[in-house]
Amino acid sequence: MRILVVNGPNLNMLEKRDATHYGSFSLGMIEESLSGTFPEIEFEMYQSNIEGEIVGKLQSADANYNGIVINPAAYSHYSLAIRDALELCNIPKIEVHLSNIHGREEFRQHSVTAAACNGVVAGLKEISYIAAVFALNKMING
Ligand code: DQA
């Protein structure tokens, strides 16, 4: 089983961002924690700061993966292009946020991409990713 983990802009700088919201894990540490928790699953960790690159990656996801975890980062709040690309994916997909976007600034409280996903996990810092993979695994393998 192969899971694509897509990370949007500025998540490559995670260890330098506000730990109160985002925790203290780097993306590399999140990948290690996913592989350690789910040794039977193959993960591809993908990060891009560019909207069109994320759209391209999503367009090739059906053919190459069994499920998607996506943190669109700031694009969550306004990228209709990423939302449309997610709608085209027929494999299960879960949106994640490290921070609890519902308790933050008003502009972060709405995600335009979330409606194109099967579910959303927010506010658990790096555990959001683990919870999303747990759910995907159940959805795919029962
Ligand atoms: C984020 C929340 C977004 O509002 C923000 O722009 C991010 C990260 C999160 O994981 O909490 O870059 O998606």
Side-chain angles (χ1 to χ4, degrees):
M1 158 137 136
R2 302 188 75 212
I3 301 280
L4 172 65
V5 184
V6 177
N7 293 284
N10 299 304
L11 291 173
N12 54 319
M13 307 289 280
L14 200 48
E15 61 279 14
K16 297 197 168 147
R17 297 184 72 183
D18 183 346
T20 320
H21 290 304
Y22 302 120
S24 49
F25 274 43
S26 64
L27 265 197
M29 289 161 78
I30 290 177
E31 181 172 16
E32 276 172 25
S33 118
L34 286 174
S35 300
T37 311
F38 303 99
E40 72 286 6
I41 299 177
E42 196 184 319
F43 293 99
E44 183 182 333
M45 209 71 175
Y46 177 81
Q47 192 278 330
S48 175
N49 295 320
I50 300 168
E51 187 180 32
E53 287 184 356
I54 295 172
V55 168
K57 190 70 184 172
L58 291 171
Q59 286 178 354
S60 68
D62 272 10
N64 296 302
Y65 307 94
N66 304 100
I68 301 170
V69 174
I70 182 164
N71 184 347
Y75 284 139
S76 315
H77 311 301
Y78 66 93
S79 176
L80 298 179
I82 291 176
R83 178 191 173 126
D84 289 349
L86 281 166
E87 274 176 1
L88 283 169
C89 295
N90 291 312
I91 51 176
K93 54 230 148 154
I94 305 218
E95 178 164 311
V96 297
H97 296 283
L98 295 146
S99 65
N100 181 1
I101 56 171
H102 305 290
R104 298 187 63 191
E105 304 98 317
E106 207 177 324
F107 65 86
R108 291 186 203 278
Q109 290 177 15
H110 182 64
S111 164
V112 299
T113 48
C117 293
N118 297 86
V120 182
V121 183
L124 306 180
K125 302 201 167 73
E126 68 280 355
I127 300 167
S128 294
Y129 287 76
I130 304 270
V133 172
F134 179 86
L136 275 182
N137 199 16
K138 283 270 176 209
M139 290 164 76
I140 295 163
N141 296 315

